Amino acid sequence: MATLIVQQKGEKPQRYDIRHEVTVIGRGKDADLLLPDISVSRSHSQVLKKGKKFILSDLGSENGSIVNGRKKKRYTLKDGDEIQLGKFLLVFEHKTEVEQKARATGLDSYAINKREGFLNRVSATDPKNAKSTTHLTPDLLSEARTAAKLIDHAKIVLVANTDHYWKPGDAGLVFGQGKVPGKNCARVIWDNKAHVIEKTGGMFSTLKVNGEKTKRHLLQDKDLINVDGTNFRYEV
């Protein structure tokens, strides 16, 4: 079986088994392997299974697909190849059935921090985490798809005129900047799973969510936001 070991700095490595003829990798909600970070294009690259070969193709991504330190538009993968996609690093593994079973029984001993080159620089710094590999379960992929949906569709709507709205995406937004009305005393940020609104102004500024004063709030659909007297609604 062919597998991609997904590594992001500071996180445990995760395993994604390649089971389909075509596997699209990106941060868009329709990607098969979803890597939710702005450094990854919505449809970044794909792995094509052709007989016993696995071919990586870049899909016109902004940052490119880098294999073993070199940018590639099309590349036939080999066991141990290191693929950099934005802030993520994927290690391609193609084992025989016997090797795969042997590896599965000793999953915790997979020492990703012993690999050389770029992977060693981006791997989890905690040795305990670096040697622990988890599987990308359907639940985890579902969470990633939900996050991608929020990035694509969530918006901050001006209650006084619902034709005016702003999408925070994963870059966030600041009230009072970029044509968003209100004083510069609050902002919406993306915390990798959801949008969060934070108060950034001083003691004379106010931030309320659903009528309650707050300094930080995890936003949910239909939340009513008041920034120094201006009303907004968070909608998905």
Side-chain angles (χ1 to χ4, degrees), residues 64-236:
S65 300
I66 300 171
V67 183
N68 301 327
R70 295 190 176 187
K71 190 173 288 188
K72 300 286 186 181
K73 290 188 175 181
R74 185 178 173 87
Y75 178 85
T76 301
L77 293 167
K78 303 183 297 295
D79 182 50
D81 279 338
E82 298 177 359
I83 309 161
Q84 182 190 348
L85 304 180
K87 292 182 180 179
F88 293 83
L89 193 116
L90 287 63
V91 179
F92 178 74
E93 290 194 345
H94 193 193
K95 306 289 188 183
T96 65
E97 188 174 348
V98 173
E99 290 172 323
Q100 192 74 22
K101 286 181 179 179
R103 178 190 174 280
T105 59
L107 200 58
D108 286 341
S109 65
Y110 178 72
I112 196 166
N113 62 327
K114 290 183 180 179
R115 291 183 180 270
E116 298 179 355
F118 181 83
L119 178 60
N120 192 47
R121 297 198 297 275
V122 301
S123 291
T125 54
D126 180 353
K128 182 178 179 181
N129 284 347
K131 293 180 181 178
S132 177
T133 305
T134 59
H135 195 275
L136 277 169
T137 65
D139 286 344
L140 286 174
L141 287 173
S142 178
E143 288 180 11
R145 293 186 200 287
T146 299
K149 179 182 177 182
L150 290 175
I151 289 172
D152 285 346
H153 298 294
K155 56 188 178 181
I156 302 294
V157 180
L158 182 64
V159 172
N161 185 349
T162 56
D163 289 336
H164 292 264
Y165 62 85
W166 300 265
K167 290 187 174 184
D170 49 8
L173 59 82
V174 177
F175 292 89
Q177 293 184 8
K179 298 184 179 179
V180 185
K183 296 181 181 178
N184 185 357
C185 66
R187 63 178 182 175
V188 176
I189 62 170
W190 177 251
D191 73 349
N192 292 324
K193 290 186 178 180
H195 287 114
V196 176
I197 190 167
E198 296 179 333
K199 180 182 175 182
T200 57
M203 61 183 295
F204 297 109
S205 61
T206 59
L207 169 64
K208 295 180 181 179
V209 179
N210 300 324
E212 299 289 333
K213 287 186 178 180
T214 185
K215 291 184 178 179
R216 180 181 171 90
H217 179 84
L218 187 71
L219 289 169
Q220 298 181 11
D221 190 30
K222 307 303 182 186
D223 274 347
L224 293 175
I225 303 165
N226 182 287
V227 179
D228 267 352
T230 304
N231 293 312
F232 303 87
R233 185 169 55 250
Y234 178 76
E235 294 183 0
V236 181

Side-chain angles (χ1 to χ4, degrees), residues 5-68:
I5 304 296
V6 183
Q7 176 69 60
Q8 187 180 24
K9 189 172 184 178
E11 303 291 338
K12 290 183 178 181
Q14 294 178 305
R15 189 179 77 233
Y16 180 85
D17 296 332
I18 301 174
R19 301 182 182 276
H20 305 292
E21 295 295 319
V22 178
T23 299
V24 176
I25 307 170
R27 67 180 172 91
K29 61 182 181 298
D30 296 325
D32 299 301
L33 174 51
L34 200 150
L35 305 178
D37 188 89
I38 196 171
S39 64
V40 179
S41 297
R42 283 180 168 80
S43 294
H44 197 109
S45 60
Q46 72 176 24
V47 176
L48 172 66
K49 182 181 179 182
K50 197 170 184 179
K52 294 184 178 181
K53 293 182 179 181
F54 291 83
I55 301 169
L56 177 76
S57 298
D58 186 81
L59 298 176
S61 66
E62 185 174 347
N63 292 324
S65 300
I66 300 171
V67 183
N68 301 327

